[in-house]
């Protein structure tokens, strides 16, 4: 689990704040992912980056803005969020995103609360 | 459309007894199936996967899963449960047309009582 780290682990923000979530992978992987986990719901894929290029945006509202400056780092910039955006945000990485055998490895998540 | 169903929100089992966590799937094309476990305040940890070959897949911590194509199931099993196995378990299927996309079930909470 230490292969993918996320900071901060907990974040409380108001609806007018701007904050960023950070993810770093130490596994030499080529793809990175953002997921949203809400209680008793399936994980929702938000964004995918392959080799630093965004390849998926799963109809995510524009108040979430991802950034991938290199293959080891991924950010999620947050602004004017809504209370329903409160959730656990998980980052994942994988090595061979074009192959069926590829496995995603997850970070511990950031627990976000929007007041 | 591709999807995963975990029909049980919660499974209770006594320590030392066998456990089964159920998963059924729906895919167009070949199924690529995964199990993950999530401990409290932690991310998801990979347990095992089925891509092709032997229908019985062995994974971490003594877990195994059986792929059954006719029943479109991929149930997670362990012969003897431990209290430390108590956690949230997620089944997932990879989109066979877009390997980046996983479809996760809503999770099953496993409670193992001493």
């Amino acid at each position: 689990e230490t292969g993918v780290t996320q900071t901060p682990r907990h974040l409380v923000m108001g609806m007018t704040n701007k904050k960023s979530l950070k993810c770093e992978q130490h596994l030499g992987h080529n793809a990175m992912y953002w997921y949203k986990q809400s209680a008793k719901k399936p994980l929702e894929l938000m964004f995918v980056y392959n080799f630093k290029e965004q390849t998926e945006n799963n109809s995510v509202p524009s108040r979430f803005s991802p950034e991938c400056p290199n293959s080891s780092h991924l950010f999620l910039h947050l602004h004017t969020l809504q209370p329903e955006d409160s959730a656990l945000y998980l980052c994942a990485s994988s090595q061979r995103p074009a192959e069926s055998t590829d496995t995603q490895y997850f970070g511990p998540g950031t627990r976000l609360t929007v007041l | 459309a591709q999807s995963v169903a975990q029909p049980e929100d919660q499974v209770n089992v006594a320590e030392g007894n066998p456990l089964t966590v159920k998963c059924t799937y729906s895919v167009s094309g070949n199924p690529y199936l995964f199990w993950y476990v999530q401990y409290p305040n932690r991310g998801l940890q990979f347990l095992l996967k089925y891509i092709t070959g032997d229908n019985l897949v062995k994974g971490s911590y003594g877990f195994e899963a059986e792929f059954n194509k006719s029943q479109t199931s991929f149930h997670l099993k362990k012969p003897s449960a431990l209290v430390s196995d108590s956690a949230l378990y997620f089944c997932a299927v990879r989109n066979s047309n877009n390997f980046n996309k996983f479809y996760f079930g809503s999770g099953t909470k496993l409670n193992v009582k001493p």
Side-chain angles (χ1 to χ4, degrees):
Chain A
E1 188 174 323
T2 55
V4 181
T5 57
Q6 291 187 242
T7 54
R9 294 293 307 274
H10 300 271
L11 178 62
V12 179
M13 60 187 288
M15 289 192 285
T16 57
N17 291 158
K18 290 185 180 180
K19 296 286 184 184
S20 296
L21 310 184
K22 179 182 176 182
C23 175
E24 184 173 0
Q25 59 96 359
H26 311 273
L27 301 169
H29 287 173
N30 298 308
M32 297 187 78
Y33 310 78
W34 279 118
Y35 285 87
K36 177 183 179 183
Q37 184 180 16
S38 303
K40 304 209 173 163
K41 291 175 67 175
L43 268 71
E44 301 171 47
L45 179 65
M46 300 174 71
F47 300 104
V48 180
Y49 279 82
N50 287 336
F51 300 91
K52 302 187 297 178
E53 298 297 320
Q54 187 181 120
T55 55
E56 290 287 335
N57 177 337
N58 212 23
S59 303
V60 180
S62 59
R63 57 185 184 269
F64 295 91
S65 174
E67 179 190 1
C68 188
N70 55 61
S71 57
S72 298
H73 293 86
L74 184 65
F75 296 89
L76 189 63
H77 303 301
L78 316 171
H79 63 99
T80 59
L81 294 192
Q82 305 298 313
E84 60 265 27
D85 297 323
S86 299
L88 183 68
Y89 288 84
L90 292 166
C91 174
S93 70
S94 70
Q95 186 173 20
R96 298 179 299 271
E99 298 183 16
S100 63
T101 55
D102 191 45
T103 299
Q104 294 184 11
Y105 294 88
F106 286 79
T110 295
R111 174 69 62 187
L112 174 66
T113 302
V114 182
L115 301 176
Chain B
Q2 295 173 84
S3 64
V4 168
Q6 293 181 244
E8 301 154 317
D9 285 342
Q10 186 166 299
V11 169
N12 298 312
V13 64
E15 188 174 31
N17 283 0
L19 69 86
T20 299
V21 182
K22 295 180 180 177
C23 172
T24 58
Y25 65 88
S26 172
V27 297
S28 53
N30 294 325
Y32 305 111
L33 298 155
F34 297 74
W35 275 103
Y36 284 84
V37 60
Q38 186 177 33
Y39 298 99
N41 301 314
R42 308 277 285 277
L44 276 67
Q45 293 180 33
F46 168 71
L47 275 181
L48 51 81
K49 64 185 176 185
Y50 172 82
I51 304 300
T52 188
D54 197 352
N55 289 344
L56 185 64
V57 179
K58 294 190 184 295
S60 306
Y61 313 120
F63 284 93
E64 58 189 29
E66 186 167 12
F67 170 64
N68 187 317
K69 187 173 183 179
S70 62
Q71 296 185 9
T72 61
S73 67
F74 189 55
H75 301 331
L76 183 69
K77 301 182 180 186
K78 187 172 182 180
S80 178
L82 300 172
V83 172
S84 57
D85 292 330
S86 299
L88 193 56
Y89 290 81
F90 290 93
C91 183
V93 64
R94 158 172 277 141
N95 186 322
S96 56
N97 298 317
N98 180 348
F99 288 161
N100 278 160
K101 282 193 164 182
F102 276 64
Y103 298 93
F104 282 84
S106 52
T108 298
K109 188 169 189 302
L110 174 66
N111 295 314
V112 181
K113 301 203 166 153

